[in-house]
Amino acid sequence: MSTILSLPDQSTASLPKVSYLNKEYGLKSWLLTQDHKRIAILYLIAITFFFFVGGAMAALIRLELLTPQTDLLAADTYNKVFSAHGIIMVFFFLVPVAPAVLGNFLIPLMIGARDVAFPKINLLSWYLFVSGGCIELTMMVFGGVDTGWTFTTPLSTHYLNTNVVAAAMGIFVAGFSSILTGLNFLVTIHRMRAPGMTWFRLPLFIWSYYATSFIFVLATPVIAIALVLVVLERIIGIGVFDPAKGGDPLLFQHLFWFYSHPAVYVMILPGMGVISEVVACFCRKRVFGYTAVAFSSVAIGVFSFFVWAHHMFIMGISSYSALVFSLMTMLVAVPSAIKIFNWSATMYKGSITFDTPMLYTLGFIGLFTIGGLTGVFLASMGMDIHLTETYFVVAHFHFVMVGGMVTAFMAGLHFWWPKITGRMYPESMGRIAAVILFTGFNLTFFPQFILGYLGMPRRYAAYPPEFQVLNVFSSAGATVLAVGYLLPLLYLTWSLKYGKIAGANPWQAAGLEWEIQSPPLTENFPVTPIVTHEAYDYEWLASKKGSEVPTVG
Amino acid sequence: MAELKHHDEPTHHEHHIVSPGVYLAICATLLVLTATTTAVSYVDLGEYNTVVALAIACTKMTLVVLFFMHIKYSSKLTKLTVAAGFFTFIVLIMMTMTDYISRAWGRW
Amino acid sequence: MDSHTLAAQTADTGHVEDEHAPFLRHHFESVPQQREAATFGMWLFLTTEIMFFGGLFCSYLIFRNWYYPAFVAGSHTLHIWAGTLNTTVLIVSSFTMAMAVHAAETRVRRALMGWMIATLILGCGFLCVKAYEWHDEWVDHHVPGLNFGPESFLHGTKAYPDDKLPLDVAEKTQLYFSLYFLMTGMHALHMIIGVSLLTILLIQVRGGKYVNGHVAPIENFGLYWHFVDIVWIFLFPLLYLISRHQ
Ligand SMILES: [Cu+2]
């Protein structure tokens, strides 16, 4: 292991004359583009906007919880704020963030295709996403909704007079965007691979996106029909969820969580794909147990359809059924653990460099492990009865979603930023931001585990005074976390103009996307590549670098 | 070079054109099955009315999928996709039913 | 043999023509690849449709088991002849659609248009019969939420004089009709979308499209149409038939 990661000579690298970014100019060339890379950028812009809207809601929540009384927000307003936070962050940030941004940009590049299979549908899905988001934002301006993001019946159908219908329709529209994205990826991965790109030569990124896409395609329609039923129940009172007419409110939860649990894996699987790429590159090693990691992605995707009722243990479902779901849930820990162990094994004796993407990755592995293990606590029914609907659950899914997915997305964004834009971000700033983010995250959410264990319920604007100390910790951490997110926004924007020129392969990473210029051409590959070796062939790359390419640094 | 363009899986499936005779035969069978299922519903078979009706419906579906929708002549991938759809449908039904069937059993 | 004659030869067998087919989109390598991608994409879309209707079928199963007598009485009010007629119409329309795809594959424009028009007429016929049934249910106060009344289930009907349900059971028939309208309504919505798409395709065929080997849009529409047919093949026994004799 003698390879030393060295950046290419930044003084001689130059931006390519023609790339997808400057092929055409003008707003119209962006809004009507069918280029998967430009659509990825469109998604990135829209999603960043939604992230900061959702983040502002989170800031309001944490400010309110600074004191035990309801002094900043009235209880009603607080309900609307946390609902808005949940709806925006789940449906308009976490679900689309990694698939639509990184997936759109990278899947065709990684498999050696010129575009996704259906470019027009790809653009359509962006418009559907934005339309759904606009419906949601309009709904919030006109009074908002206070059901929480779960629309639990009969609360959402019978007891509230807020804009449930509009909120549900916004999600319905955005759901079609997910379905079309998933469909596009599946067809692309199956039908558009370059010659020689066999299934077991695919980067692990592709495997995890494959599982994600299947969840999109098979689970999303069920929430669509569930939301249609909620809307009809509210408008004309069809009675399916109305106990007074013989309906069953729990049926809604079954249908809702049939989607929303697999959706949780939509929110983590792509992150795992990113981590596999980054770990391999910054340890200069092939990912340990490639096949196991690949199949664990598929296994997580399959298992995700068998576990949904763990969200309903205290809602009145049969205890026998709950037992089945509890066992199935614990089973998901197995493929997740396979991934964690394999990444650790990859790092063992690797020549690790601690660049920004790798720092985020290390953060991910730690935070995801905590988030995943507390998930096992919640899967066991006895513990769940004590912990459910408390801040323990809030902390658990924020560790998985924010500590896991968002951290992984940041890792991926930094890792492929030079490919996307052709320029490097300032490395030292990147490292500082990664450390701030990790610190802020733990300070924000770790106290919430304790709060939840002590019994502080979620979704309340006020709490008993003895919980204040930990809440102050949490709110203080949230400000640190906010800095951790704003900093990348600033320096990444700055780097668009002033960043160093990256060159084709600044990380000396393996993979088809690094063999082409950055930013790539509109048609990606001037000639169709022919794949002859496996993914992550860093030993081969090292020998090639040693003999053929002069390394600098 | 031309050979290299094709993938490892059998994507280059020779497209099969089904003859009109087959379509006509399938259509006739479907109509006969429709008549049968309506006729059987007038006979009292107890709970077997449901079984027979659903069995006939499944047969009809299979015929439509295999011949009208060309699954019989399709690649393995398409067949697997159809299977995945039905599998997930079954999962939805079965796993939901674990709750509804045992909800009245009470606590243990 | 120089390259010129080689090109001429392959043109005879139709291969070169396909490689440069005007409908081949730039990011595909070949026409078969493009066609296979389209078919696979369509099938994936149909799996989402299975799951979309799956939620409704699941609800139907649950509530039918919970409120069996009410569901039996509810299904007794449907016209079995209308259901049978509609099933027949849809099956024949599936056949004509299959023939349309065949005509597109063999590149016969007149036949293609004929079969598509036949499918269109049959699809509209189905919707008319369905509308007639819905109208009857409206008249009988069987539309949940809008004008529902359980009265007709309290005293028995001419055809089923035994359908004398106690009031609380009779009220549960509303759930039967909710699911009936949801399922047939969603199905009819798919039919309306199908008929609209078919009209657009028909206009395009009239303009000369889809008879030059570019079959995928017709073929995919056919898949969609057959899928809608399959949904009805299950709705028919579930809603109309299986409770006849209880
Ligand atoms: Cu879950």
Side-chain angles (χ1 to χ4, degrees), chain A residues 57 60-61 64 69-78 81 461:
Chain A
M57 302 293 175
L60 282 176
I61 293 169
E64 165 55 45
Q69 307 82 29
T70 57
D71 28 28
L72 179 66
L73 303 171
D76 265 0
T77 322
Y78 180 83
V81 168

Side-chain angles (χ1 to χ4, degrees), chain A residues 28-186:
Chain A
K28 208 179 132 199
S29 78
W30 281 89
L31 291 180
L32 296 179
T33 183
Q34 289 176 28
D35 180 3
H36 66 100
K37 301 180 287 301
R38 284 192 167 206
I39 292 171
I41 304 279
L42 290 177
Y43 265 115
L44 181 61
I45 295 165
I47 278 166
T48 310
F49 169 74
F50 284 119
F51 178 68
F52 281 99
V53 173
M57 302 293 175
L60 282 176
I61 293 169
R62 281 323 315 169
L63 273 177
E64 165 55 45
L65 293 177
L66 209 50
T67 57
Q69 307 82 29
T70 57
D71 28 28
L72 179 66
L73 303 171
D76 265 0
T77 322
Y78 180 83
N79 290 348
K80 288 177 180 174
V81 168
F82 80 67
S83 301
H85 170 71
I87 290 172
I88 288 194
M89 285 303 205
V90 170
F91 295 106
F92 295 92
F93 176 70
L94 285 167
V95 167
V97 60
V101 179
L102 294 178
N104 254 327
F105 195 91
L106 291 164
I107 286 177
L109 294 182
M110 282 184 169
I111 64 174
R114 272 174 271 179
D115 206 326
V116 291
F118 309 114
K120 279 184 196 157
I121 289 179
N122 203 10
L123 182 66
L124 173 68
S125 74
W126 183 76
Y127 277 102
L128 286 171
F129 171 71
V130 172
S131 317
C134 287
I135 295 174
E136 238 33 86
L137 292 176
T138 320
M139 175 281 290
M140 279 160 200
V141 172
F142 287 95
V145 69
D146 53 355
T147 57
W149 75 278
T150 52
F151 294 94
T152 309
T153 52
L155 180 71
S156 63
T157 48
H158 290 86
Y159 297 103
L160 294 175
N161 281 317
T162 48
N163 305 322
V164 179
V165 171
M169 285 342 281
I171 292 168
F172 184 85
V173 172
F176 275 99
S177 158
S178 313
I179 291 177
L180 294 179
T181 305
L183 192 153
N184 227 331
F185 287 172
L186 286 175

Side-chain angles (χ1 to χ4, degrees), chain A residues 257 260-265 304 307-311 329 396:
Chain A
W257 288 111
S260 292
H261 184 82
V264 169
Y265 294 127
S304 72
V307 300
W308 75 82
H310 60 218
H311 298 269
T329 307
H396 155 69

Side-chain angles (χ1 to χ4, degrees), chain A residues 340-367:
Chain A
I340 295 286
F341 287 134
N342 279 319
W343 292 324
S344 312
T346 310
M347 281 188 262
Y348 177 68
K349 286 193 175 171
S351 38
I352 304 175
T353 42
F354 294 95
D355 293 272
T356 312
M358 190 62 188
L359 289 182
Y360 279 118
T361 298
L362 293 170
F364 168 94
I365 293 177
L367 298 178

Side-chain angles (χ1 to χ4, degrees), chain B residues 8-108:
Chain B
D8 48 304
E9 53 191 290
T11 57
H12 196 62
H13 207 80
E14 203 44 61
H15 206 80
H16 188 276
I17 297 182
V18 188
S19 77
V22 175
Y23 288 144
L24 202 60
I26 296 300
C27 180
T29 319
L30 288 173
L31 290 176
V32 169
L33 284 172
T34 305
T36 317
T37 191
T38 307
V40 166
S41 78
Y42 283 99
V43 184
D44 192 354
L45 300 173
E47 37 195 50
Y48 288 101
N49 273 113
T50 313
V51 178
V52 171
L54 285 179
I56 292 180
C58 287
T59 317
K60 283 158 83 179
M61 175 191 73
T62 315
L63 289 175
V64 173
V65 168
L66 284 184
F67 295 96
F68 283 176
M69 299 172 94
H70 300 159
I71 280 298
K72 184 159 187 275
Y73 316 102
S74 296
S75 61
K76 227 185 233 157
L77 172 65
T78 321
K79 286 178 184 152
L80 277 175
T81 310
V82 181
F86 281 106
F87 175 74
T88 321
F89 173 64
I90 302 284
V91 170
L92 171 66
I93 302 268
M94 299 299 271
M95 294 302 280
T96 311
M97 279 301 148
T98 60
D99 173 24
Y100 282 90
I101 288 171
S102 60
R103 209 185 274 176
W105 295 356
R107 306 224 160 262
W108 41 279

